[in-house]
């Protein structure tokens, strides 16, 4: 069953390693000081008694890690460390691994008290590469106990995301809509990441919806929806259908998780959906996103995955938006005091129908999907196109991120941080004015040049430093980000100033 968080609990253990020609107590004592610092800083960590000097110690440590329920590991070089056994431990441990090392404490004891972990870390990294093992290495991995404790704290969201992806199943319903070819889904890269996918038809979706028609939980869900919407509950008569749909999706996930622990969705949501279900699913999608269960629009599997990675490192709901339209010059002039000196090309509007969690919106209410209304209901009084959650995106920190597979099934990604401005976009949907430095060039030489689709996952906290490390541990080699004005992209014309 998907729990209320839809992410794993990180149970972190720390193991010290010691080169046999160095005092083992030096490594053990230094590790214990790190554990003390972690406790002082309220960083949960399990102290592993075994200190690794040889391969037999590796087997003993693995048994102790299993008995203590450790699912994420910190390998600590208290001295030079034995590179072979250390890399073997990282290889055999079934979970994310971080490596760090001790700095020298004092110039008063550099004979018996010198550990040389600064040197040993070089040998370790070479041996890890020989075994094709990827571990998280902090920006500067050598430090005093307090500094190492801070490194360990930074590892926790990274470990959480890696554990989550190893136990994730993506449920998709229906093929992508016509003319949305960029939402292709090569599934081999998902399996390479340890992710499962279960593809279903739109008829399957309609069947599970029909099966929930008389569910006894519907009134309770309706009441919760009405409470959330408050004065924005424009279509109270629609809540029963929406509650039925929400129950259907959650029950389906629970029954079909199988060997996985966490689940997300990528569902086709138009144009046939409305004619059979009688509503748009956006509001339900927003509610599940608030629970850490992204439901990506337009069967965008990699969009759902991108949302989930953001959520896994931050536990703040993410959303999926179109990189949609430029900001008109007159709107910029009207609200220039809120633009904060950004160039027009740094700005764009992020938009989607109404799938963003209410906690990320201002003045939200349930409305109808204007674009679908034009297409399906010829612009008449809305009926089957009702069910969006619309409002302005809350101003503040923001990042855009996508992991995507090329038609050749190669994974690539981009990530950039910026902010949502306190500017009224004067439009419909879940929408906001986004500001990212050098976005114009990023759009041209990453989005367009590298053939990324129009959907981007949006997070509401600056967590790019964690996501970047997650991507590295996943083996993603193409990770793009917005370059400063002084640095050119490879395909950028060097003669354009």
């Amino acid at each position: 069953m998907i729990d209320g968080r839809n992410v794993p609990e990180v149970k972190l253990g720390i193991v010290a390693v010691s080169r046999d020609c160095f005092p083992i107590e030096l490594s053990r004592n230094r590790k214990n000081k790190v554990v003390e610092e972690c406790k002082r800083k309220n960083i949960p960590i399990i102290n592993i008694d075994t200190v690794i000097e040889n391969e037999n110690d590796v087997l003993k440590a693995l048994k102790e890690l299993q008995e203590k329920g450790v699912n994420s590991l910190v390998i600590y070089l208290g001295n030079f460390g034995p590179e072979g056994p250390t890399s073997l431990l990282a290889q055999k441990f079934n979970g994310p691994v971080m490596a760090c090392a001790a700095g020298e404490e004092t110039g008063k004891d550099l004979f018996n008290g010198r550990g040389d972990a600064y040197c040993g870390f070089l040998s370790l990294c070479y041996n890890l590469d020989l075994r094709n093992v990827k571990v998280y290495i902090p920006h500067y991995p050598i430090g005093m106990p307090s500094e190492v404790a801070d490194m360990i704290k930074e590892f926790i969201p990274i470990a959480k995301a890696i554990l989550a992806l190893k136990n994730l199943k993506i449920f998709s319903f229906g093929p992508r809509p016509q003319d949305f070819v960029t939402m292709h889904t090569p599934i081999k890269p998902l399996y390479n990441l340890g992710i499962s996918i279960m593809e279903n038809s739109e008829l399957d979706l309609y069947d599970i919806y029909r099966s929930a028609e008389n569910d006894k939980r519907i009134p309770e869900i309706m009441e919760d929806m009405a409470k959330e919407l408050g004065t924005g509950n424009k279509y109270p008569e629609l809540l029963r259908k929406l509650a039925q749909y929400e129950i259907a999706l959650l029950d389906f996930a629970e029954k079909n998780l199988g060997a996985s622990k966490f689940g997300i969705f990528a569902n086709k949501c138009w144009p046939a959906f409305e004619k059979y279900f009688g509503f748009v699913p956006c509001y339900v999608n927003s509610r599940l996103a608030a629970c850490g269960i992204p439901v990506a629009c337009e069967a965008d599997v990699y969009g759902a995955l991108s949302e989930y990675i953001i959520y896994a490192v931050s536990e703040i709901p993410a959303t999926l938006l179109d990189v949609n339209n430029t900001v008109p010059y007159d709107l910029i002039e009207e609200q220039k005091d809120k633009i904060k000196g950004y160039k027009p090309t740094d700005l764009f509007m992020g938009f989607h129908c109404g799938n963003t969690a209410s906690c990320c919106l201002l003045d939200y209410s349930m409305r109808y999907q204007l674009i679908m209304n034009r297409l399906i209901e010829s612009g008449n009084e809305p009926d089957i196109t009702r069910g969006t959650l619309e409002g302005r995106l809350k101003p503040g920190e923001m990042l855009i991120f996508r992991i995507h597979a090329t038609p050749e099934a190669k994974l690539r990604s981009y990530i950039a941080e910026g902010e949502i401005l306190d500017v009224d976009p004067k439009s419909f949907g879940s929408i906001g004015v986004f500001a990212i430095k050098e976005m114009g060039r990023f759009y041209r030489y990453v989005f367009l040049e590298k053939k990324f689709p129009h959907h981007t996952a949006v997070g509401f906290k600056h967590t790019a430093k964690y996501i970047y490390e997650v991507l590295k541990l996943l083996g993603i080699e193409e990770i793009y980000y917005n370059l400063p004005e002084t640095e050119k992209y490879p395909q950028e014309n060097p003669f354009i100033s």
Side-chain angles (χ1 to χ4, degrees):
M1 179 178 178
I2 297 177
D3 66 21
R5 293 169 62 234
N6 201 33
V7 287
E9 178 185 356
V10 175
K11 295 182 179 179
L12 200 60
I14 183 168
V15 173
V17 300
S18 175
R19 188 75 174 239
D20 56 11
C21 55
F22 284 78
I24 191 171
E25 288 306 315
L26 181 63
S27 193
R28 179 181 285 114
N29 291 339
R30 286 176 167 179
K31 179 205 60 173
N32 290 340
K33 290 177 182 177
V34 171
V35 172
E36 289 172 8
E37 284 296 322
C38 286
K39 289 180 179 178
R40 188 178 69 82
K41 297 184 177 190
N42 295 315
I43 303 167
I45 196 160
I46 298 169
N47 193 353
I48 302 302
D49 295 326
T50 306
V51 178
I52 307 294
E53 285 189 310
N54 54 56
E55 291 190 8
N56 289 327
D57 292 331
V58 171
L59 300 178
K60 184 179 176 182
L62 287 169
K63 182 180 179 182
E64 187 179 352
L65 288 163
Q66 184 177 17
E67 288 173 350
K68 292 183 175 179
V70 172
N71 60 17
S72 304
L73 178 61
V74 175
I75 294 177
Y76 177 72
L77 279 69
N79 57 39
F80 191 100
E83 61 266 27
T86 305
S87 62
L88 182 65
L89 174 64
Q91 184 181 51
K92 289 189 172 293
F93 180 74
N94 186 28
V97 177
M98 166 184 162
C100 55
E104 311 299 355
E105 294 98 340
T106 174
K108 298 177 181 178
D109 185 16
L110 289 177
F111 285 85
N112 292 326
R114 198 186 78 191
D116 297 0
Y118 191 81
C119 184
F121 214 91
L122 297 167
S123 298
L124 171 61
C125 287
Y126 185 84
N127 270 260
L128 288 168
D129 192 59
L130 289 176
R131 297 184 191 275
N132 295 314
V133 175
K134 292 185 180 297
V135 305
Y136 168 64
I137 299 175
H139 181 64
Y140 182 70
I142 319 295
M144 296 296 102
S146 178
E147 294 168 327
V148 172
D150 291 337
M151 299 176 202
I152 291 170
K153 184 178 181 179
E154 293 284 285
F155 177 52
I156 293 173
I158 298 165
K160 187 185 302 177
I162 296 297
L163 290 171
L165 296 179
K166 285 177 177 281
N167 293 280
L168 179 67
K169 179 176 281 188
I170 302 175
F171 303 104
S172 72
F173 286 97
R176 59 183 178 266
Q178 186 179 0
D179 298 327
F180 280 70
V181 178
T182 51
M183 302 307 174
H184 59 264
T185 310
I187 64 173
K188 182 63 167 64
L190 297 172
Y191 281 91
N192 291 344
L193 296 178
I195 297 168
S196 298
I197 182 167
M198 180 179 180
E199 297 178 297
N200 310 275
S201 73
E202 289 174 275
L203 188 58
D204 292 319
L205 184 58
Y206 189 56
D207 180 56
I208 65 170
Y209 171 69
R210 290 281 300 273
S211 298
E213 187 172 1
N214 297 311
D215 194 284
K216 295 179 181 178
R217 294 167 290 176
I218 288 177
E220 180 183 351
I221 300 297
M222 291 174 62
E223 183 179 347
D224 189 59
M225 288 177 167
K227 182 179 179 181
E228 178 184 15
L229 290 167
T231 58
N233 188 8
K234 306 297 185 184
Y235 306 115
E237 68 278 10
L238 194 61
L239 296 190
R240 183 172 186 86
K241 288 182 178 180
L242 294 169
Q244 179 182 333
Y245 181 67
E246 181 175 310
I247 288 168
L249 287 179
L250 289 173
D251 282 357
F252 181 86
E254 181 178 346
K255 292 173 184 176
N256 291 278
L257 272 179
S260 302
K261 296 179 181 178
F262 315 109
I264 61 178
F265 291 90
N267 299 345
K268 188 174 179 182
C269 50
W270 68 281
F273 183 100
E274 287 68 32
K275 296 177 182 177
Y276 290 89
F277 290 78
F279 57 89
V280 294
C282 305
Y283 176 50
V284 172
N285 295 355
S286 79
R287 282 173 55 83
L288 294 189
C291 300
I293 308 173
V295 186
C297 320
E298 294 147 5
D300 182 4
V301 168
Y302 282 96
L305 176 59
S306 303
E307 286 184 83
Y308 184 69
I309 291 173
I310 293 174
Y311 173 71
V313 301
S314 67
E315 291 196 46
I316 296 173
T319 191
L320 191 71
L321 301 179
D322 291 349
V323 181
N324 200 68
N325 58 278
T326 60
V327 180
Y329 287 124
D330 61 347
L331 195 152
I332 294 173
E333 182 61 27
E334 283 176 21
Q335 305 194 50
K336 60 184 177 182
D337 58 320
K338 297 180 179 179
I339 299 298
K340 301 182 178 180
Y342 286 105
K343 299 179 294 187
T345 51
D346 292 338
L347 309 176
F348 70 95
M349 289 193 191
F351 156 87
H352 226 268
C353 312
N355 58 339
T356 302
S358 61
C359 60
C360 303
L361 297 173
L362 298 174
D363 300 323
Y364 56 85
S365 63
M366 183 181 291
R367 302 178 193 172
Y368 69 95
Q369 217 295 334
L370 176 62
I371 297 171
M372 290 186 197
N373 178 258
R374 294 177 194 148
L375 175 69
I376 300 171
E377 299 181 299
S378 301
N380 296 319
E381 185 69 22
D383 180 19
I384 62 174
T385 56
R386 299 177 300 166
T388 58
L389 185 70
E390 303 193 25
R392 183 155 68 94
L393 297 169
K394 284 184 177 179
E397 290 185 5
M398 164 278 300
L399 65 84
I400 58 173
F401 163 65
R402 188 170 182 94
I403 183 171
H404 197 65
T406 68
E408 298 79 25
K410 181 180 180 181
L411 288 173
R412 60 173 49 141
S413 182
Y414 68 73
I415 188 165
E417 291 182 336
E419 61 179 315
I420 298 170
L421 299 178
D422 189 13
V423 172
D424 184 358
K426 299 184 177 181
S427 194
F428 61 96
S430 297
I431 191 167
V433 175
F434 286 53
I436 296 174
K437 291 181 180 179
E438 296 300 314
M439 180 63 195
R441 296 169 56 243
F442 190 51
Y443 173 82
R444 170 61 183 88
Y445 294 105
V446 174
F447 284 56
L448 300 184
E449 196 76 31
K450 300 300 177 181
K451 314 301 184 288
F452 281 103
H454 63 284
H455 279 177
T456 191
V458 176
F460 297 91
K461 184 178 180 182
H462 286 172
T463 54
K465 64 179 180 180
Y466 302 123
I467 295 172
Y468 189 87
E469 296 294 343
V470 170
L471 294 171
K472 285 168 57 181
L473 289 176
L474 294 176
I476 312 301
E477 295 180 352
E478 290 187 60
I479 309 173
Y480 300 99
Y481 46 90
N482 53 321
L483 297 180
E485 188 176 9
T486 53
E487 188 175 350
K488 296 286 187 182
Y489 291 95
Q491 290 80 22
E492 189 172 1
N493 188 331
F495 300 100
I496 297 176
S497 59

